[in-house]
Amino acid sequence: MSIRNIFILLLITFSFYSCDDNSDPAPSNGDGFNRSALLENLSNNIIIPAYEEFYNSLILLEESANLFVNNPDVTNLESLSDVWLDSYKLWQHVEMFDIGLAEVINYKGKMNIYPTDIDLINNNILNGNYDLNNNNNFDARGFPAIDFMLHGLSENNETIVSIYINDYAYSDYLLSLINSMVYNTNLMIEDWSDYKIDFVNSSGNTATSSVNKITNDFIFYFEKGFRANKFGIPAGVFSIDPLPQNVEAFYKKNVSKELAQESLLACKSFFWGKHFNSDIYGPSLATYLDYLHTSSENNLTDIITEQFTEAENKINQLDNNFVFQIENNNNQMLVTYDAIQAMVVTFKVDVLQVLAISVDYVDADGD
Amino acid sequence: MLNKVKLYFHQNTDSSSLSLFRFFFGFLMFFSIIRFVGKGWVEDFYINPNFHFSYYGFEWVTPLGDYTYLLFFICAISSLFVCVGFKYRFSIIVFFLSFTYIELMDKTYYLNHYYFVSILSFLLIFLPANSSFSIDNILSKKKYKTVPKWTVDCIKLLVSIIYIYAAIAKMNSDWLLHAQPLQTWIQTKHDFPIFGDTFFQQKWFYYFMSWAGLLYDLTIPFLLLYNKTRIFGFLLVILFHLLTVALFPIGMFPYIMIFCAIIFFSSQFHNRVINMLKLLVLRINKKIKFVNTNFKIMTLDKFEYSYRRLVISIVFLFFVVQILFPFRYLLYPGELFWHEQGYRFSWRVMLVEKIGLASFKIKDPDNGNEIREVVNSDFLTYYQEKQMSFQPDMILQYAHYLGDFYKNKDVDFDGIIDFGENIQVFVDCKVKLNGFRETQRLIDPNINLYTQKESFKNKTWILPLNDEIKGF
């Protein structure tokens, strides 16, 4: 056996063993686009400020609820309802970040599953024996449950107030709902103070690296949380008949559009890297796409800008109350859905191809 | 001329080449199957999904529930038997059948190298790969010093066909003039050590890789064939395939191709490797005293086929099909990369980047009921949906599945059938091909797919690509 042949065999053996590990290679940020800067911007200027602001709004909600429970009257109910809406709108800015601990504990599933199950809620109130952190209660908690507790117990506010006066179990449930939301959101804020470092450092291009995960989260939210939940399902896109009872904030009635607008705003801000509560823009998916995009004739981010505007315009034309809109002119709701669906195509086809993102949970050989 | 051909078929060569190839092939296949099962893919790909995309004419090939594991077990055992040359002919037939059955169960997971393994194992059925260095030699107490030369050459021919056809497939304007899809793939591998943020961000590098890839595929069989260039060629084989391993989630394919290239080496080399392996086996045997090595094996000069003419005819026919089959796409009008009619089984490896989104609509024209959009994830796994979304034959099959599912069904549980016999299925499917091209509709959205039948005929409901790709 000559040295040459040994060398060849060694090479074969080496090649065989050296290549089956798919571990995350060390991050590098020296190319034309700095992904760590993108992740810094997303976490420092968008995600964490949004969480903090949202948490503050929940504290306000808690205070307002205590005030109402101790002095149940119509004025306090109405101001509680206002604080609830403010908080619900801020929620639209954090729902998409299903990453880190949020993903592990199914945070969004604890906050905003609708339609809410009023039988389950009534049952919980009657029994007084419930664990809101238990996933059996997934549709008896969060904002939709509070919506029912504040606006759905009766047609008029006086009766609702009297229910709270007559039976403290309702107050108890209301406070428990808010308490659980405060608790879980606090977990998020604590998690992000540690998680942020990992988030920014994981700047590679693997299924588990941050840019890929957060992009997938964003697109998933846009498709499911925004498109399907707020428009598609209630408008009956996935069923034979429309399901108006499935709109967001069904019991409050006239705010489903406002919440949807806020959600679209959150998506837009995320895509463009706009700092939360400020007009400053930083590195974002948009600037990354501009860096990578190769076509000369049409600019992908220009197309997305137009599509955002189109979707905004369509939503603005809808009635404040989506139930009313669906029952009276569902076609307009469907037209709006189509404008949003066009964006889903752009995100899932164009954006994902340009970013060449290894998508979550797909694990197979290619060729 | 005819004499020369006749003479060629009577030439013999050392049996070690075939035997070593058999050993490596069996070993790699065993390893591949263990890896596949170990990754949990049997469960994920074949047992969990409710629906499977079958090949036209092979609809009867379906996963066997939990018994699918048994199938993989049989496949693994037979590959091990092939490796050691135990009941070789029977084992390789079992391997060919079980492996091919596995690949036919769902075309979602089609890979060129699985097809290669299938046809190679078919070819191996007809080759005397257990003539030496096999347990069969011990059992039959005889081995053969030489085998017909063509039996070794036909493996070289098959490997050469793959490389050359892969080269031909790259001769198109997207690959050579736009450096796509390589640019899309390489550019985003910024986390690749050393090259990621340097070469991988350079335009010239995408072109260099595209052209070098073509040149590599085109020349490698010839570099391997000639004595003087063989070592160089083999080093290139290793380098190239390791690069693909590092860049793409390409599984076992590179390793299989590296090992296949060894067949091109001289029989002296194969002999030396075999002797080394034998020594190793004997040494281990001595330590653990596994078997008594006092057996006598008679060495016969050359292996002779009992049905020589028949075997040669089958192998000849096999290669005629191999050479013609990849060109069947010429029978279909339009862009092959777009409609994919005749795309599979043609060595089009890592050739296009496609992403699609397909949304299906169910309609009953009689009562006006419709579901505007089916939630695909209710029926398909993520991977199935991804693959289906840009492949017309899979779209058609899924449309039929949906039609069958919703026909005569009371969807909203109100006691009334919502979709009757005349149920219609439509698709709105948008696809992006190779990065720089605009996303475009793939299927005519006004065609009721439920009345369209799968066949080898041109699918007229596929919309043409608004662009021309020049070349093969």
Side-chain angles (χ1 to χ4, degrees), chain B residues 124-135:
Chain B
L124 281 172
I125 293 173
F126 302 97
L127 307 183
N130 60 340
S131 296
S132 57
F133 191 45
S134 70
I135 295 187

Side-chain angles (χ1 to χ4, degrees), chain A residues 51 94-95 97-109 188 191-192:
Chain A
Y51 264 121
V94 299
E95 186 175 327
F97 306 124
D98 191 22
I99 190 169
L101 187 66
E103 189 183 5
V104 175
I105 68 163
N106 184 25
Y107 174 59
K108 69 177 177 191
M188 293 307 116
D191 177 53
W192 266 98

Side-chain angles (χ1 to χ4, degrees), chain A residues 5 19 205 291 337 350 366-367, chain B residues 112 191 201 249 255 272 373:
Chain A
N5 294 336
C19 301
N205 182 8
Y291 168 76
Y337 176 86
D350 298 71
D367 82 352
Chain B
N112 285 296
D191 48 359
Q201 305 301 319
Y255 307 115
R272 257 178 274 158
E373 194 181 317

Side-chain angles (χ1 to χ4, degrees), chain A residues 196-211:
Chain A
K196 203 198 99 177
I197 300 159
D198 294 342
F199 179 77
V200 172
N201 284 339
S202 164
S203 60
N205 182 8
T206 62
T208 53
S209 62
S210 295
V211 178

Side-chain angles (χ1 to χ4, degrees), chain B residues 95-259:
Chain B
F95 176 81
F96 164 70
L97 291 176
S98 57
F99 190 90
T100 307
Y101 188 96
I102 289 169
E103 295 326 313
L104 288 175
M105 289 193 299
D106 194 330
K107 68 169 95 163
T108 307
Y109 317 109
Y110 169 81
L111 292 181
N112 285 296
H113 84 256
Y114 292 152
Y115 173 57
F116 174 55
V117 167
S118 268
I119 59 173
L120 178 60
S121 57
F122 176 79
L123 183 61
L124 281 172
I125 293 173
F126 302 97
L127 307 183
N130 60 340
S131 296
S132 57
F133 191 45
S134 70
I135 295 187
D136 286 345
N137 298 148
I138 303 170
L139 297 178
S140 67
K141 295 195 168 45
K142 60 185 177 194
K143 66 178 186 178
Y144 301 93
K145 198 168 161 20
T146 66
V147 292
K149 187 168 182 294
W150 67 263
T151 59
V152 179
D153 288 345
C154 69
I155 295 177
K156 295 181 191 172
L157 178 60
L158 187 59
V159 174
S160 304
I161 287 176
I162 293 174
Y163 278 115
I164 290 169
Y165 275 66
I168 294 172
K170 290 184 175 70
M171 295 176 188
N172 66 77
S173 49
D174 275 27
W175 187 272
L176 296 175
L177 304 181
H178 295 276
Q180 288 285 10
L182 278 190
Q183 170 163 2
T184 306
W185 291 336
I186 295 176
Q187 191 177 16
T188 44
K189 301 278 183 225
H190 49 78
D191 48 359
F192 195 84
I194 305 165
F195 298 115
D197 42 16
T198 53
F199 287 159
F200 286 11
Q201 305 301 319
Q202 307 284 324
K203 192 120 192 149
W204 65 265
F205 187 74
Y206 315 135
Y207 282 92
F208 171 76
M209 289 302 282
S210 298
W211 285 79
L214 166 62
L215 201 66
Y216 167 84
D217 283 341
L218 200 58
T219 53
I220 213 69
F222 303 104
L223 292 177
L224 288 173
L225 272 174
Y226 295 109
N227 280 328
K228 284 187 176 161
T229 51
R230 190 168 299 134
I231 295 286
F232 173 67
F234 190 64
L235 287 177
L236 272 187
V237 167
I238 293 176
L239 189 77
F240 175 83
H241 285 298
L242 289 191
L243 192 68
T244 61
V245 168
L247 281 173
F248 311 116
I250 202 168
M252 295 297 294
F253 185 62
Y255 307 115
I256 293 173
M257 290 317 278
I258 288 173
F259 278 88

Side-chain angles (χ1 to χ4, degrees), chain A residues 68-69 71-74 77 149-150 153-171:
Chain A
F68 168 70
V69 166
N71 305 289
D73 61 32
V74 173
L77 178 65
M149 297 292 290
L150 301 185
L153 291 174
S154 161
E155 283 297 310
N156 65 72
N157 285 349
E158 285 78 13
T159 322
I160 293 174
V161 169
S162 69
I163 290 173
Y164 279 89
I165 292 171
N166 293 334
D167 189 349
Y168 192 78
Y170 283 85
S171 303

